Amino acid sequence: MVHNNLLLLLLPFAAAFHIPPRTATFSPSQRQSRTTTHLSLTPVDSSLLESLSSLSVADAAAPAVGEVTYSKASYYTTLALYVASFPGLWSQIKRSTKAKIKQKTFVSAGEAAENGKDLRQQAGEIMAYMKANNYEVKDAGETITFEGLVARSTSQAFFLTFCTALGLASLALVLQIQFQNITLPLIGTPNWFYMVLLSPYAGLYYWRSGDRVDDIKVRLLSSDDDTENEIIIEGNDEEIDRMWRALELNEKGMVKVEGIIAS
């Protein structure tokens, strides 16, 4: 069937070209014995070509306009996961005004160890560091409590605005796909991407919260043989991270490995 259709399609093109006869010289005997065959080509009706082309187009018909060509199951699964994770954006904005409190334990070489420090010397280093970072002693006892003012950060405000803009833009894209033909009263067909204009309010919310007061609690202990000092610190996670790096402390139970660049 395919070969027949192909031949029918090629016939008009063969008829369109005129192939001139080839001239040859034959002897009288050859002229008598040679049989001449004439081939005549009949043009193909145009209606036949149109019917063949319509059959080929029908076999590869495109999907109808407005027909869904994607998997609805995968689409709604992705949509559900997105909706479940979107509240994390609001949580990030709320937590930006509060300190992330953690408690970590660090160790250093004690008085009996080589190049070690006694508790008084270790406490003096911690006191000097906290003073340099605008912290004051709030309570001095077995546990020393430092109080400091953490100023609001311009970079943090811009970062929150940027993250909020990305989150609202992705939400607008989801709504634009889900509600393509929706019409709202007094608005008409909404452009969901206008929600991105609300992103600066995230930075404004952080900025209006102002400076915050952080407390850091430090407790010093020494081992029985005075070979190791134990420093228990509770407070803002970011400040604790800066503190142990500046004082060259090692977290208890962790092994410090020097990097390739440091070596």
Side-chain angles (χ1 to χ4, degrees), residues 108-113 119 220-230:
S108 64
E111 181 180 3
L119 290 181
L220 298 175
L221 300 174
S222 179
S223 61
D224 295 337
D225 54 1
D226 292 332
T227 58
E228 186 177 76
N229 296 328
E230 189 172 288

Side-chain angles (χ1 to χ4, degrees), residues 143-157:
T143 299
I144 305 175
T145 303
F146 296 92
E147 184 181 73
L149 185 66
V150 179
R152 53 194 177 185
S153 172
T154 305
S155 60
Q156 180 72 5

Side-chain angles (χ1 to χ4, degrees), residues 10 43 52 54 58 64 124 130 179 181 193:
L10 293 178
L52 290 175
S54 62
M130 301 304 291
F179 305 106
N181 301 320
F193 287 97

